[in-house]
Each structure stands twice: as structure tokens, then as C-alpha cells.
């Protein structure tokens, strides 16, 4: 912290120019709700003077003294506002912007200033308006932020229907997912088919794939920053929807009108309720009774209070839970199985305006992720007494307490400086296992002591308008990670620049060095909740990456399009994977009580490189984008695949997305998406032969290259890892929205069609054995698909 305050002192006392200057500063908010707006462009036309509001809607613009000037405020989805003011003294100027949809008619006559991607030093960044997300066709009508991001170049899905993000060759653990400054470790509902993020509660979504600003750290591949809405300060408002598998409701309104507000948003699935009668009907006439079920819920909440013109306090949180259960009762046996996981986050933030040029945000952060598996079964005698029993308990947890301070300093129109520090206290319980049974030689109790670690970092970055045609962002971060007996300290330089070659046409370049101190161990590579979060230790080094990217950005006036073309190369070191035959439930009968997860992993390196192309239109009656990615990803581990390089599961040569949204009228919206992608790289057996095994524990080791069939004689032999390429997948989704505006509320019926032409995309492959008449066995490779054409309907309302 001493370094941070030293930097602050130097920056605060720094004299930019001998020329007399004045400062215009304030907050930009939404008319009515008074929601603070991040990313609003503030500029003086036909001059180099301009800035952008920060995450909390604050801006500061230092200008030479003059009689007057015209200042313009513009933002996507809002009416442009102009103010002519005197530049003779420091002025505080707060602005309210009016949303376009509050007007009867809007004519877009020219390209809005804030859309000019070519004028920003930042590259490899994706920002999608929330209103555009809500118009895109969705799986079962559930609007999902992560699935929309999968439609962007450089972002790939793992498996059909899954929400996992694979950014420029990185795994799901290499994405820093932030919700109101809190890190979210598992973003999945329904085993990865839905994300935990309810778009009704979100204000902004921004994904950075490269050229990372120095304020971000802790992951290798991307930063997904989401901010929740603050709640309306003028009146009570609500929004909700009723769909096929879940319903949701958001309420927001003032606590003290004009000073404080609240927001609460909830969602709950009712799959378990709808499925119960069908399951009961299927079981009639059977001696067995099966009661399976699954549900999830999530809740977002936020309150904020204005303590005055210079201080604001926010308290926000997220709470989500998934639970799967299966209870079975027969004549001679009983079993109960369960699988559940939960996320909890809480953030307390304090905004303080030290002066017109210096803005401070301090956050206190809590994050918690728990995962558990349970299984209890009994074999009964005819008199009801227990003959054999089996019990399994498995848990994994990670809990964070953190604090961070970020300062925004605006010394002159040519400089916007950010600096700060953060510290996070992690507590890991990597894997605790209890296994016992009457048919097991010895009960297993593997209780892992909590692992306490401290992760911290300090940073400084400056966005500098070096010349009329050159804008740069240069920064430096120092990160550290402290275990019980070792401290890692790593430098992380960052740089990005944009050189304007012509009007609204720029060449961009960036370099970023990243370190990651937490790891996700996965057999599937899908980022499911069954995967295991573990820390860097004395034996396991942190992951590292170095990424360089270059590109071109062009903004067109008519039509209002943004075109970007980027190429990147990324090198990754110390990435982790399970050894052959290991998994999160790896057990060995001889030493299971002492086995550590560190004994099950191996470290390696990876490379990812490729090119990305995007054409994006955010405004107008017709909007959408076309994104294409050509990429290669390779891994190499000494203890895997005989030390040879191989393609990981989510390597994808070609990835194409086409998204279109058309406002046919004020009452009808049509939308469609079409995706195409190269199939996943998989490991399949090349041959099989007869073998014998009777080891009970082999049932729990499913991640290796040699799999022995339980109670059988068949042993599979595999070739090189992931040498089989699945069939390409492609899919068309359609949606029709019918809007109706009543006197006091708006309602929307949405009809959707997922996988409209019923493409049977591969979900997994299996080899089946068939006995022939001559006694020989025939092996057949079978492809299994998950989703046929699926219609959906939902009812949405807003007041």
C-alpha cells in the first residue's frame, strides 16, 4: 500500500503544463432512474479533447481556458446531449441522458461518436448492449449472457448447449469472471446448460480477450466484467418472465427518493415439479420406486445510497444453488444419491470523489463456492435387515475474502491514469472424501486440511493521447501469491496502442503478460461443477501466459458498422492436467487416506494462435454481427501422450457465427442465429482385447487411456491423445417477439425454435459391441446427439 500512496502523491502533485487550465467533471446518469452510466463518451467536437465515463459514470475533462465550448455526451441507446458552457472556471456538471425507447420516434441520421472502435487504444474487447442480448434467440427462451458471448470471434463453446467459454485457446478456469468486483468461480446451472447470470439484473457486460489493462490480473485468457443495475431512484419498476423451465422477476425502486434505491431479481426453475407426474406415471406397475429431481434458483440483490455529492455506498450480492437428487426403493435395496453446488458473492463498495480530477473506489469482497456429492445404498435381507451398505461423501470448497482500491486520475486531456492495489485471502478445501461399506476392505476417510493462501497485486496504467493519430495504454502490474512456505512474485507488463491511418481507420497492437495462481482440474475439459479448484503450492507453480496481438479497426458511417480483423499468438506455461487414469475421485485401495491431488496432476505448456474477423452493427432497425475465427491450440505434457504435442478437446479450426435482429415494426421483432464449428478433438479406442480384472476401485478411474469394463473381459487400447475429430456442428435458431405497450406496462410474447432444421450435432461418441452369428464380435462407433428441434414460448412483462 505504501507504493500506491507514493504513486498517488507523485501523480497528484504532477504539473502537466504551464498553460492555465480548468476542469469540467461530474456524473452521467439515466433520466428517471438516475442509474449511473459507464462508457459514455464525453467530447468537444472537432478537437482532440474527450474522455469516457468510468464504471460509476464519473468523468473529468481538463481544458485550456476559453470563453465557451460545446460539450457532447453520447451513448448507445440514449439520445445525444449537448451543453454549451463557459471555460473560465472549474465546473461540476452532472448530465441526465434520455433512453431512445422513451421517445415516440427516433431517426438515426449518422454514426454515433461512442461507436468508433478505431479511436480506442484498447483492442480484443467485446461489449454487447443488454437490450441486444434480450432479442437474440435463446435455448428454451432463457436469455443467457455467456451463450451470446460464444457467438463472438475468439470465443468458443465446449459442447453443444454448454455455457463454458474457451477464449483464444484457454480453458474455462482461465476466464476471470467478475460480478460487481466479486470473482465467480463456477458460472453454471443445470450442469453447464445455463449460466447463473440473469440478464434482467445486469447493466453492462464487457469481455476482454487480449491487451489486458493492468488493473486486471489472476487469469490467462479473458476478463468478463459484469455490473449489476443499481435500481431506480424515482419510482417502483419491475420486469419478469414465465418460460417453459423457469420463471423470473425483478423489482427495483427508491428507498429514499432521489438518494437511495434497491434492486432484487430472482429466478427459479420448476423442472422437478413438471417432471414429477411423468416419473410417477412411468413407475406404475413396477416394484421399484424412483424419485429423481433437479432444481436451481438464483437471487441478485443490490442497494445503494448517496451520502452526498462526493460519496456513494453500494451493497450487492448474488446467491445461487443447484441440487440434483435420486432416491430409489426396491424390494431388496434402497439408495439415495445427491449432487449439489452453490455460489455466494457479496460486495460492499464506497465511491469517494477526492477532487474534480481524482476518483476513488474501495471494495470489500466475499466469494464462496461449494460442491458436494453423496451416495448411500443398502442391500436388504428378506426380513428388512441390512445385508450390505455403501456410503460416499465428497466435498470441495473455495472461499475468498478480499479488499481492493482503485483510483482514477485525470491530470490532462491527454492522460487518464488508473492505479490501485488489491489483496485476496483464499481458503481451499480441494477434496475431502469419506467412503465406507461392508464389502470394502477398509473404510476411507480422506479429510484435507484447509489450504490458506494470500494473493495480492498493485498496478498503474495510463491511457495517453501521444499524438493526434496515436493513442496508447501502457501499464505495469506486480502480482504475488503466498503459500504456507513460499511466496511467488511476478511482474506483468501490459501495452496496447492504436495508430490512426486514416479517418476512422486504425492499426492496433498489444502485448500482455499474465499469471494465474488458481487451477481447475478437469477430466472432461468442460468446466463442470464436478471439476476441482486447487491453489498454487510449493510443488505446483502458477500458470503463465504471454500474448501478442495485432489488428485493424474500421468504423463506417453509412451503414453504421464496425469492422475488426485481429491476429494473435499466445504461449502458456505450467498449465495443469490430470495424469493418465486420474480423476477428481481417484482412489487407490492402498494409500487413499494419504493421497494428495498434487500426486494426480502433471504440468505442461500450450500454444494458441489464429485470426478473428468481426462485422458488428449495434443500432438501427436491423442489427447483429458476423464473426469468424481461424485458430490452432496445442498442448504438450511430459507425462501425457508419450510427451508428444496434441490438440486439446476444445481446439477448433473454424468457428463461424451469424446473428441478425430485425425490428419489423414497433410490435414485431424477428431474430436468427446460425453457427458452424469444427468438431471437438476426442480420444477413442483403436482396438480392444480380452483381459481380466476384479478391482473395485477401477470403477472410479475413468480419465485414463486404458479403460477396463467392469465385470467383463474387454480392455480398450488407445492411440495418440485426441487424435479423433468429431463431426462439425451447425445449427439455426429462430425467434419471434410480439410486443404490446399498455398504459401501465409492456408485455412481450416470444416464440423460439432451437435447432430449427433438426441437425443431429454430436454430443458424445460410444463404441458398442455386437455378437455375430459366427461368434465373433463387431464393434460399431455410434454418435449420440442431445438436442433435436426444440420449440419454446415465454411471456415477459415490464412495468
Amino acid at each position: 500500500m505504501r507504493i500506491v500512496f507514493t504513486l498517488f502523491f507523485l501523480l497528484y502533485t504532477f504539473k502537466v503544463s504551464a498553460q492555465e487550465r480548468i476542469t469540467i467533471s461530474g456524473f452521467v446518469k439515466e433520466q428517471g432512474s438516475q442509474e449511473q452510466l459507464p462508457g459514455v463518451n464525453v467530447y468537444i467536437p472537432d478537437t482532440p479533447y474527450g474522455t469516457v465515463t468510468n464504471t460509476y459514470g464519473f468523468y473529468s475533462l481538463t481544458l485550456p481556458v476559453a470563453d465557451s465550448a460545446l460539450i457532447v455526451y453520447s451513448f448507445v441507446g440514449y439520445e445525444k446531449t449537448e451543453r454549451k458552457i463557459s471555460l473560465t472556471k472549474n465546473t461540476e456538471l452532472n448530465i441526465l441522458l434520455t433512453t431512445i425507447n422513451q421517445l415516440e420516434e427516433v431517426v438515426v441520421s449518422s454514426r454515433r461518436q461512442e461507436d468508433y472502435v478505431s479511436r480506442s487504444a484498447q483492442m480484443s474487447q467485446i461489449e454487447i448492449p443488454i437490450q441486444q442480448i434480450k432479442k437474440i434467440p435463446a435455448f428454451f427462451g432463457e436469455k443467457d449472457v455467456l451463450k451470446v458471448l460464444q457467438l463472438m470471434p475468439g470465443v468458443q463453446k465446449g459442447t453443444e448447449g454448454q455455457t463454458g467459454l474457451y477464449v483464444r485457446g484457454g480453458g474455462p478456469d482461465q476466464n476471470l469472471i467478475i460480478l460487481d468486483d466479486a470473482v465467480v468461480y463456477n458460472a453454471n446451472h443445470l450442469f453447464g446448460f445455463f449460466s447463473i447470470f440473469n440478464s434482467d439484473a445486469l447493466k453492462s457486460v464487457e469481455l476482454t480477450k487480449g491487451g489486458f489493462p493492468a488493473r486486471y490480473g489472476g487469469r490467462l485468457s479473458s476478463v468478463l466484467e459484469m455490473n449489476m443495475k443499481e435500481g431506480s431512484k424515482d419510482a417502483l419498476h419491475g420486469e419478469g418472465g414465465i418460460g417453459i423451465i423457469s420463471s423470473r422477476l425483478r423489482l427495483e425502486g427508491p428507498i429514499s427518493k432521489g438518494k437511495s434505491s434497491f434492486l432484487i431479481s430472482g429466478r427459479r426453475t420448476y423442472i422437478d415439479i413438471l417432471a414429477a407426474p411423468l416419473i410417477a406415471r412411468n413407475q406404475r406397475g413396477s416394484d421399484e420406486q424412483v424419485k429423481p429431481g433437479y432444481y436451481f434458483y438464483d437471487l441478485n440483490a443490490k442497494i445503494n445510497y448517496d451520502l452526498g455529492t462526493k460519496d456513494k455506498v453500494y451493497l450487492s450480492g448474488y446467491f445461487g444453488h443447484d441440487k440434483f437428487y435420486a432416491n430409489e426403493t426396491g424390494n431388496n435395496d434402497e439408495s439415495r444419491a445427491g449432487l449439489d453446488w452453490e455460489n455466494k458473492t457479496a460486495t460492499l463498495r464506497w465511491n469517494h470523489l477526492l477532487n474534480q480530477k481524482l476518483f476513488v473506489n474501495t471494495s470489500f469482497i466475499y466469494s464462496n463456492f461449494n460442491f458436494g456429492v453423496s451416495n448411500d445404498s443398502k442391500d436388504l435381507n428378506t426380513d428388512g435387515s441390512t445385508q450390505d451398505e455403501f456410503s460416499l461423501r465428497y466435498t470441495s470448497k473455495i472461499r475468498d475474502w478480499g479488499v481492493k482500491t482503485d483510483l482514477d486520475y485525470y491530470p490532462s486531456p491527454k492522460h487518464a491514469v488508473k492505479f490501485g492495489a488489491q489483496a485476496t485471502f483464499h481458503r481451499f478445501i480441494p477434496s475431502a472424501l469419506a467412503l465406507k461399506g461392508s464389502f470394502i476392505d477398509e473404510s476411507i476417510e480422506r479429510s484435507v486440511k484447509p489450504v490458506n493462501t494470500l494473493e495480492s497485486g498493485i498496478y498503474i496504467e495510463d491511457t495517453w493521447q501521444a499524438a493526434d493519430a496515436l493513442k496508447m495504454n501502457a501499464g505495469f502490474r506486480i502480482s504475488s501469491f503466498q503459500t504456507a512456505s513460499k511466496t511467488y512474485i511476478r511482474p506483468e507488463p501490459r501495452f496496447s496502442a492504436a495508430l490512426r491511418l486514416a479517418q476512422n481507420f486504425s492499426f492496433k497492437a498489444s502485448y500482455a503478460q499474465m499469471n494465474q495462481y488458481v487451477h481447475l482440474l478437469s477430466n472432461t475439459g468442460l468446466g463442470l461443477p464436478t471439476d476441482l479448484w486447487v491453489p498454487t503450492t510449493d510443488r505446483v507453480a502458477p500458470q503463465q501466459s504471454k500474448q501478442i496481438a495485432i489488428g485493424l479497426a474500421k468504423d463506417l458511417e453509412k451503414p453504421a458498422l464496425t469492422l475488426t480483423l485481429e491476429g494473435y499468438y499466445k504461449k502458456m506455461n505450467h498449465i495443469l492436467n490430470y495424469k493418465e487414469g486420474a480423476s477428481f475421485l481417484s482412489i487407490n485401495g492402498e494409500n487413499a487416506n494419504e493421497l494428495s491431488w498434487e500426486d494426480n496432476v502433471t504440468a505442461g505448456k500450450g500454444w494458441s494462435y489464429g485470426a478473428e474477423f468481426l462485422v458488428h452493427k449495434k443500432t438501427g432497425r436491423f442489427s447483429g454481427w458476423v464473426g469468424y475465427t481461424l485458430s490452432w491450440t496445442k498442448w504438450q505434457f511430459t507425462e501425457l501422450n508419450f510427451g508428444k504435442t496434441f490438440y486439446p478437446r476444445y481446439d477448433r479450426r473454424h468457428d463461424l457465427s451469424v446473428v441478425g435482429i430485425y425490428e419489423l415494426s414497433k410490435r414485431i421483432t424477428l431474430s436468427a442465429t446460425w453457427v458452424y464449428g469444427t468438431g471437438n478433438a476426442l480420444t477413442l479406442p483403436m482396438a480392444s482385447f480380452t483381459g481380466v480384472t476384479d478391482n473395485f476401485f477401477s470403477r472410479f478411474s475413468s480419465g485414463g487411456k486404458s479403460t477396463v469394463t467392469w465385470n467383463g473381459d474387454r480392455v480398450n487400447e488407445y492411440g495418440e491423445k485426441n487424435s479423433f475429430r468429431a463431426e462439425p456442428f451447425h445449427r439455426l435458431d429462430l425467434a419471434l417477439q410480439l410486443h404490446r405497450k399498455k398504459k401501465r406496462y409492456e408485455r412481450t410474447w416470444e416464440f423460439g425454435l432451437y435447432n430449427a432444421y433438426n441437425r443431429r450435432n454430436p454430443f458424445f461418441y460410444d463404441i458398442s459391441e455386437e455378437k455375430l452369428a459366427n461368434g465373433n464380435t463387431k464393434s460399431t462407433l455410434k454418435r449420440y446427439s442431445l438436442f433435436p428441434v426444440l420449440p419454446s414460448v415465454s411471456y415477459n412483462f415490464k412495468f
Side-chain angles (χ1 to χ4, degrees):
M1 293 299 292
R2 182 180 298 175
I3 296 176
V4 174
F5 287 115
T6 301
L7 291 171
F8 162 72
F9 176 77
L10 292 174
L11 289 168
Y12 187 74
T13 57
F14 177 69
K15 300 299 182 183
V16 179
S17 172
Q19 182 182 6
E20 188 177 359
R21 296 175 181 271
I22 59 95
T23 299
I24 308 297
S25 66
F27 291 87
V28 181
K29 304 178 182 180
E30 182 182 80
Q31 177 75 40
S33 71
Q34 298 188 43
E35 186 96 20
Q36 293 173 344
L37 300 176
V40 176
N41 205 55
V42 184
Y43 63 97
I44 298 178
D46 303 320
T47 73
Y49 303 123
T51 188
V52 177
T53 59
N54 68 6
T55 304
Y56 304 96
F58 175 76
Y59 75 95
S60 177
L61 195 58
T62 300
L63 306 166
V65 171
D67 291 336
S68 64
L70 181 69
I71 301 182
V72 178
Y73 302 81
S74 61
F75 191 43
V76 172
Y78 292 80
E79 278 298 288
K80 184 165 63 175
T81 298
E82 299 178 350
R83 291 286 187 273
K84 189 173 183 178
I85 64 170
S86 171
L87 298 183
T88 57
K89 62 179 180 179
N90 293 340
T91 304
E92 181 179 329
L93 183 59
N94 297 321
I95 297 296
L96 298 176
L97 296 186
T98 303
T99 58
I100 287 177
N101 58 19
Q102 290 177 346
L103 304 178
E104 290 298 322
E105 183 177 359
V106 175
V107 178
V108 180
S109 58
S110 64
R111 182 62 183 270
R112 290 180 175 270
Q113 178 83 5
E114 76 280 354
D115 276 343
Y116 289 119
V117 173
S118 60
R119 299 186 182 183
S120 171
Q122 180 65 50
M123 66 181 303
S124 306
Q125 193 171 78
I126 296 170
E127 186 174 2
I128 307 176
I130 296 296
Q131 289 304 317
Q132 198 172 49
I133 291 175
K134 292 184 177 182
K135 295 174 183 177
I136 294 173
F139 181 57
F140 278 120
E142 292 289 318
K143 305 302 182 182
D144 198 310
V145 171
L146 298 191
K147 287 187 177 179
V148 173
L149 290 173
Q150 288 176 348
L151 300 172
M152 287 294 182
V155 185
Q156 300 168 358
K157 63 182 70 64
T159 301
E160 177 73 11
Q162 296 280 321
T163 59
L165 298 181
Y166 301 82
V167 181
R168 290 186 172 177
D173 64 318
Q174 295 177 354
N175 305 308
L176 179 63
I177 301 177
I178 305 171
L179 180 64
D180 274 6
D181 279 347
V183 174
V184 177
Y185 284 95
N186 188 283
N188 293 321
H189 279 316
L190 193 60
F191 302 97
F193 291 110
F194 297 104
S195 79
I196 65 174
F197 303 112
N198 186 349
S199 60
D200 287 348
L202 296 178
K203 176 170 64 175
S204 62
V205 177
E206 185 178 86
L207 178 72
T208 305
K209 304 177 291 182
F212 304 98
R215 59 187 178 272
Y216 298 121
R219 298 294 188 274
L220 300 190
S221 293
S222 77
V223 177
L224 175 57
E225 185 173 19
M226 292 172 287
N227 290 289
M228 291 169 53
K229 294 180 178 179
E230 296 161 13
S232 174
K233 289 187 174 71
D234 69 333
L236 180 67
H237 297 281
E239 184 174 4
I242 302 172
I244 293 178
I245 65 171
S246 70
S247 292
R248 67 189 194 280
L249 177 65
R250 186 196 82 219
L251 294 174
E252 58 177 309
I255 299 175
S256 176
K257 196 166 185 178
K259 293 185 66 68
S260 62
S261 62
F262 76 92
L263 177 141
I264 184 167
S265 178
R267 178 174 56 165
R268 210 275 194 188
T269 184
Y270 27 72
I271 299 175
D272 52 335
I273 300 173
L274 295 178
L278 300 176
I279 295 172
R281 182 178 299 176
N282 290 336
Q283 295 301 319
R284 287 179 183 175
S286 172
D287 293 334
E288 295 185 355
Q289 293 184 353
V290 182
K291 294 182 179 180
Y294 171 84
Y295 67 86
F296 70 77
Y297 69 83
D298 48 45
L299 178 70
N300 296 78
K302 189 170 186 176
I303 58 173
N304 68 90
Y305 194 85
D306 289 354
L307 301 177
T309 58
K310 292 188 175 183
D311 294 279
K312 295 177 175 63
V313 176
Y314 306 84
L315 177 62
S316 60
Y318 168 81
F319 312 92
H321 188 88
D322 285 67
K323 185 174 182 62
F324 169 80
Y325 56 92
N327 302 328
E328 184 175 352
T329 304
N331 290 332
N332 300 314
D333 55 59
E334 295 178 356
S335 68
R336 294 177 180 270
L339 181 70
D340 64 279
W341 62 97
E342 64 179 4
N343 290 278
K344 298 176 183 176
T345 71
T347 306
L348 175 63
R349 292 188 285 183
W350 170 40
N351 291 173
H352 179 58
L353 188 61
L354 285 173
N355 57 47
Q356 285 190 299
K357 296 185 179 182
L358 190 59
F359 178 92
V360 185
N361 176 69
T362 302
S363 300
F364 300 92
I365 305 160
Y366 170 80
S367 181
N368 189 42
F369 172 66
N370 292 333
F371 168 74
V373 178
S374 64
N375 189 356
D376 296 289
S377 61
K378 294 181 180 180
D379 290 336
L380 306 175
N381 294 314
T382 55
D383 60 358
S385 60
T386 301
Q387 181 181 8
D388 292 317
E389 63 179 343
F390 172 79
S391 178
L392 168 70
R393 294 289 184 277
Y394 175 88
T395 58
S396 176
K397 301 179 181 180
I398 178 171
R399 187 193 68 192
D400 290 351
W401 292 97
V403 60
K404 67 191 292 281
T405 298
D406 301 289
L407 299 95
D408 293 0
Y409 178 56
Y410 305 90
S412 77
K414 293 187 176 182
H415 293 269
V417 182
K418 295 178 182 288
F419 56 101
Q422 64 183 75
T424 303
F425 177 75
H426 301 285
R427 167 164 285 198
F428 294 85
I429 301 180
S431 60
L433 176 71
L435 182 67
K436 61 183 179 179
S438 55
F439 51 88
I440 302 176
D441 295 336
E442 181 181 352
S443 296
I444 297 170
E445 294 284 346
R446 190 171 75 206
S447 297
V448 178
K449 293 182 179 180
V451 179
N452 298 320
T453 63
L454 177 64
E455 182 177 357
S456 58
I458 59 173
Y459 74 90
I460 183 170
E461 63 178 86
D462 182 17
T463 301
W464 176 31
Q465 187 75 52
D468 288 346
L470 179 62
K471 194 170 189 178
M472 299 186 294
N473 179 283
F476 189 78
R477 182 183 184 89
I478 298 177
S479 62
S480 70
F481 193 83
Q482 184 176 343
T483 67
S485 58
K486 189 172 183 177
T487 300
Y488 296 89
I489 300 177
R490 300 290 169 86
E492 300 178 10
R494 316 285 176 81
F495 176 80
S496 60
L499 177 64
R500 193 165 72 248
L501 303 176
Q503 182 70 19
N504 302 329
F505 179 50
S506 295
F507 169 79
K508 295 190 176 187
S510 67
Y511 172 82
Q513 187 170 318
M514 309 288 283
N515 290 279
Q516 180 169 330
Y517 299 100
V518 297
H519 318 271
L520 186 68
L521 302 180
S522 173
N523 280 108
T524 64
L526 297 180
L528 297 178
T530 53
D531 299 331
L532 183 66
W533 284 100
V534 294
T536 291
T537 66
D538 298 348
R539 295 170 55 186
V540 177
Q543 302 178 58
Q544 293 180 312
S545 74
K546 297 178 181 179
Q547 181 180 166
I548 186 170
I550 59 173
L552 298 171
K554 173 66 176 177
D555 295 294
L556 300 177
E557 290 277 358
K558 295 181 180 180
L561 295 176
T562 296
L563 292 82
T564 59
L565 175 64
E566 294 185 9
Y568 69 92
Y569 178 86
K570 180 165 64 175
K571 174 71 182 296
M572 297 170 283
N573 291 315
H574 306 298
I575 56 177
L576 287 190
N577 207 339
Y578 279 118
K579 294 178 180 178
E580 302 288 10
S583 75
F584 82 105
L585 272 179
S586 287
I587 305 171
N588 183 294
E590 297 178 358
N591 63 350
N593 294 317
E594 296 82 25
L595 188 64
S596 169
W597 64 266
E598 294 170 288
D599 300 320
N600 278 336
V601 301
T602 180
K605 53 187 177 181
W607 303 265
S608 184
Y609 49 92
E612 302 166 0
F613 174 73
L614 175 67
V615 180
H616 196 175
K617 188 175 188 293
K618 295 182 181 180
T619 60
R621 291 182 64 183
F622 180 75
S623 63
W625 64 86
V626 176
Y628 171 71
T629 305
L630 173 67
S631 64
W632 289 261
T633 301
K634 297 180 181 179
W635 281 0
Q636 186 176 31
F637 294 82
T638 303
E639 300 182 67
L640 297 179
N641 200 44
F642 311 104
K644 299 179 182 179
T645 61
F646 63 93
Y647 296 113
R649 178 187 179 96
Y650 43 83
D651 168 72
R652 185 159 298 150
R653 199 68 62 247
H654 304 282
D655 194 86
L656 175 65
S657 299
V658 181
V659 178
I661 303 169
Y662 184 61
E663 308 277 351
L664 188 62
S665 68
K666 291 182 179 180
R667 298 186 58 181
I668 302 175
T669 301
L670 303 174
S671 59
T673 63
W674 185 77
V675 295
Y676 173 89
T678 303
N680 291 333
L682 306 174
T683 302
L684 292 179
M686 299 178 64
S688 60
F689 57 91
T690 301
V692 179
T693 179
D694 59 357
N695 182 2
F696 166 80
F697 297 102
S698 66
R699 285 193 287 175
F700 294 95
S701 299
S702 58
K705 289 166 61 178
S706 295
T707 301
V708 180
T709 304
W710 173 246
N711 254 351
D713 302 325
R714 187 66 57 185
V715 177
N716 293 325
E717 179 63 27
Y718 294 78
E720 292 192 6
K721 193 173 183 68
N722 291 350
S723 57
F724 175 82
R725 183 68 66 169
E727 295 173 81
F729 70 86
H730 49 86
R731 190 187 73 245
L732 174 67
D733 302 333
L734 303 172
L736 167 66
Q737 292 183 341
L738 303 177
H739 312 280
R740 183 77 179 269
K741 191 169 184 179
K742 301 284 188 177
K743 185 176 181 180
R744 295 186 178 181
Y745 73 97
E746 299 176 32
R747 65 102 173 120
T748 300
W749 281 100
E750 180 169 345
F751 302 90
L753 208 57
Y754 182 88
N755 195 9
Y757 53 78
N758 199 30
R759 162 70 177 176
R760 308 296 289 183
N761 287 306
F763 187 69
F764 71 92
Y765 290 83
D766 190 24
I767 295 179
S768 63
E769 305 287 343
E770 179 184 353
K771 291 229 172 178
L772 301 178
N774 58 9
N776 294 330
T777 301
K778 177 183 178 182
S779 298
T780 304
L781 178 65
K782 291 187 176 181
R783 179 195 66 191
Y784 291 86
S785 299
L786 191 60
F787 300 117
V789 56
L790 292 174
S792 65
V793 60
S794 62
Y795 175 80
N796 305 285
F797 57 89
K798 186 177 182 180
F799 60 88

